[in-house]
Amino acid sequence: MKVLVIGGGGREHAICWKLQQSSHVKEIFCAPGNAGIAEIATCISIAPTDIERLVELAIVQNIDLTVVGMDDALARGIVDAFKAKGLRIFGPTQEAAKLEWSKYFAKEFMLRYNIPTASYACFDERNYALAYAKSKEPPIVVKADGLALGKGVTVAKSYEEAKIAIHDLFDGKFGKSGEKVLIEDFMRGQEVSIFAICDGENAALLVPAQDYKKLNDGDLGPNTGGMGAYAPVPIIKPNLLKKIREKVVEPTLLGMKKEGHPYEGILYCGLMIDEGEEPYVVEFNSRLGDPEAQVVLPLLDEDFFEICWSVTEGDLGKYKEGLHRLDGAALCVVVASHGYPQNYKKGIPIDFTRLNEPVEIVSGKNPQKLESILRAKGIIFHAGTARDDSGRLVSNGGRVLGVTGLADNLLDAQVLAYKLCERIDFEGKYFRKDIGDKGMI
Ligand code: GLY
């Protein structure tokens, strides 16, 4: 089979890496891809939002299955356009993906189907939004209605901060995405990412993951697209996962079907788990998380191509006993460029030479357990990378690499990922030092 993957970040590298392991997959194309993806796929320089050219590419290359990694392409209707030409594609339609591209729609939907979430109000008038924010006790959550590269949410610690966020959105910081502004009650607890693979009726859940959205250690600094992730998340015990399925995933599938837009593809439930172990939806997304994909896919002990194919056949029910996953844990540290998420340089040479030195990860839980050391594995996923004119590997984005450690336990995975991060050299390299700590308390 020939597969086309849409996107060019760390998540898409993880998707290509996992698809490549399928015995069904003969060739992978990726648009646009990156320098790491180019080692396992043919990268085609077409933007994920250039749907017309992607349809053409799929036809010309006789692509058997397209897997969409990116939200933008889904929001612009790539699935509808492919299906209209009889092309097989994995992802939700534009109307189903509205759960991600309109936070207002998602909130109203959750209200209609009694899906637990924070109270909110939505405004298309700046002054009303400001007056409402003033009436609230901080922290005040201010959100853009539309897509904003994961940066459209501000948790304001004062009215003054909320005011700046509201002005930014109405002043067009995120273009049309900020034409409607949501103000939500602040929720306390632990955030987790639950990925439900859905075929419109059935859902199969991937291992729960936790994402680190803030730039700096201790969850400080500005929001980013994600600075690291780990899985599994120890607070998500089987009973809680069952509750999440019953209170969030199943009503969402039923609701979308009832509204005429059955949900196919990945439903990403960004949840807050409160002290009473109750799940509340922070937001829905319509694709895998980045960098969560870089931990949940390495832990998936199934053929990902077969799963995607089953979705397109409406046949996911065969996984109703659950998806197999590897024992152990995975942890991904995002290595970013100095200045991210604001201004950063591109074109900085990346040196992997020191990765060739053997890595010892015997400082984990079972230092004497040879088996544990043998099973540990490091995977370097590329996010913002390219080759320059002379073929040198260079940075090409703010998030440059996702360094995943896969091991018998979270501590070993953390030790391994950080040892690898230290051995990657490029000017302005930056990464958080506390990824995974929350999973070890
Ligand atoms: N890790 C957050 C996201 O993918 O939106």
Side-chain angles (χ1 to χ4, degrees):
M1 298 278 186
K2 284 168 123 182
V3 186
L4 169 63
V5 175
I6 307 295
R11 167 184 48 212
E12 288 76 24
H13 193 180
I15 292 172
C16 291
W17 173 88
K18 191 68 191 166
L19 287 170
Q20 186 211 19
Q21 292 163 23
S22 167
S23 57
H24 302 285
V25 175
K26 191 178 78 180
E27 196 173 2
I28 305 177
F29 291 80
C30 186
N34 61 37
I37 295 174
E39 287 169 19
I40 51 176
T42 305
C43 292
I44 311 280
S45 173
I46 301 178
T49 47
D50 193 344
I51 293 173
E52 218 171 290
R53 285 183 65 209
L54 292 170
V55 165
E56 250 175 58
L57 172 70
I59 293 171
V60 169
Q61 291 295 346
N62 282 315
I63 299 292
D64 296 292
L65 174 71
T66 298
V67 177
V68 188
M70 274 203 65
D71 48 8
D72 251 6
L74 294 165
R76 290 183 194 221
I78 188 169
V79 169
D80 311 69
F82 270 58
K83 285 188 173 172
K85 294 281 181 198
L87 297 163
R88 193 183 284 263
I89 185 161
F90 174 82
T93 60
Q94 188 175 38
E95 281 303 307
K98 196 168 185 179
L99 281 175
E100 172 163 13
W101 58 260
S102 172
K103 304 294 175 219
Y104 174 56
F105 169 80
K107 281 289 194 183
E108 293 282 292
F109 176 87
M110 286 187 263
L111 219 58
R112 284 199 289 284
Y113 296 97
N114 207 17
I115 297 167
T117 188
S119 304
Y120 79 103
C122 182
F123 301 91
D124 48 20
E125 284 277 346
R126 183 188 307 245
N127 288 336
Y128 290 138
L130 290 169
Y132 182 77
K134 200 161 197 176
S135 74
K136 303 299 280 184
E137 271 300 308
I140 305 161
V141 181
V142 181
K143 272 187 190 173
D145 173 45
L147 299 180
L149 297 169
K151 293 164 203 157
V153 181
T154 303
V155 179
K157 289 187 209 71
S158 63
Y159 169 66
E160 287 310 309
E161 268 184 51
K163 192 167 138 188
I164 294 169
I166 292 167
H167 280 305
D168 276 354
L169 293 176
F170 281 113
D171 286 346
K173 184 171 180 189
F174 296 109
K176 282 180 137 352
S177 290
E179 281 180 356
K180 278 198 185 74
V181 172
L182 280 78
I183 299 179
E184 293 188 15
D185 286 357
F186 178 72
M187 293 191 281
R188 284 186 171 76
Q190 288 248 27
E191 272 195 65
V192 290
S193 306
I194 300 291
F195 300 99
I197 303 181
C198 307
D199 69 357
E201 302 229 354
N202 307 289
L205 305 192
L206 292 168
V207 57
Q210 191 161 49
D211 177 25
Y212 286 71
K213 292 200 173 70
K214 296 283 185 180
L215 181 67
N216 301 322
D217 287 11
D219 290 335
L220 298 172
N223 265 334
T224 68
M227 293 302 290
Y230 71 90
V233 183
I235 58 161
I236 308 294
K237 306 255 166 27
N239 269 353
L240 180 51
L241 198 59
K242 185 164 170 276
K243 203 189 277 184
I244 292 168
R245 183 183 259 284
E246 289 168 359
K247 290 192 164 183
V248 177
V249 177
E250 284 168 2
T252 303
L253 281 187
L254 277 173
M256 291 306 284
K257 191 174 167 204
K258 197 164 157 203
E259 301 201 358
H261 303 295
Y263 197 96
E264 283 177 28
I266 301 216
L267 177 69
Y268 168 164
C269 311
L271 303 178
M272 187 68 81
I273 309 295
D274 76 2
E275 277 191 345
E277 300 202 340
E278 285 300 321
Y280 293 85
V281 176
V282 177
E283 63 176 13
F284 284 123
N285 294 313
S286 54
R287 32 84 199 170
L288 277 170
D290 188 338
E292 294 100 314
Q294 293 90 309
V295 293
V296 299
L297 292 177
L299 285 172
L300 178 66
D301 194 15
E302 300 273 1
D303 183 322
F304 189 52
F305 173 87
E306 280 180 11
I307 296 176
C308 298
W309 191 269
S310 300
V311 166
T312 64
E313 291 279 304
D315 188 21
L316 198 62
K318 67 183 183 206
Y319 294 100
K320 66 174 180 291
E321 302 302 328
L323 299 170
H324 293 115
R325 71 169 172 87
L326 300 178
D327 289 338
L331 182 141
C332 175
V333 180
V334 168
V335 183
S337 250
H338 172 76
Y340 173 77
Q342 273 92 32
N343 299 322
Y344 48 84
K345 281 200 237 158
K346 291 185 182 178
I348 300 166
I350 303 167
D351 187 351
F352 283 156
T353 318
R354 290 196 301 128
L355 283 180
N356 297 330
E357 298 162 20
V359 180
E360 292 221 357
I361 57 144
V362 288
S363 53
K365 264 192 198 152
N366 302 307
Q368 307 308 329
K369 199 170 151 200
L370 183 66
E371 218 187 316
S372 135
I373 299 160
L374 287 178
R375 270 201 271 161
K377 182 160 136 184
I379 314 161
I380 312 292
F381 291 116
H382 290 225
T385 66
R387 297 267 167 202
D388 70 7
D389 291 343
S390 59
R392 256 187 335 176
L393 184 67
V394 294
S395 69
N396 193 36
R399 291 192 292 175
V400 179
L401 301 162
V403 177
T404 295
L406 187 62
D408 271 353
N409 58 68
L410 188 58
L411 184 55
D412 281 353
Q414 187 190 48
V415 170
L416 174 59
Y418 276 114
K419 288 210 171 190
L420 297 175
C421 287
E422 277 155 22
R423 288 167 184 208
I424 293 167
D425 297 303
F426 67 87
E427 186 200 316
K429 173 180 85 167
Y430 173 77
F431 55 87
R432 273 182 72 154
K433 309 290 186 300
D434 62 348
I435 305 299
D437 286 358
K438 284 185 222 170
M440 286 184 253
I441 294 164

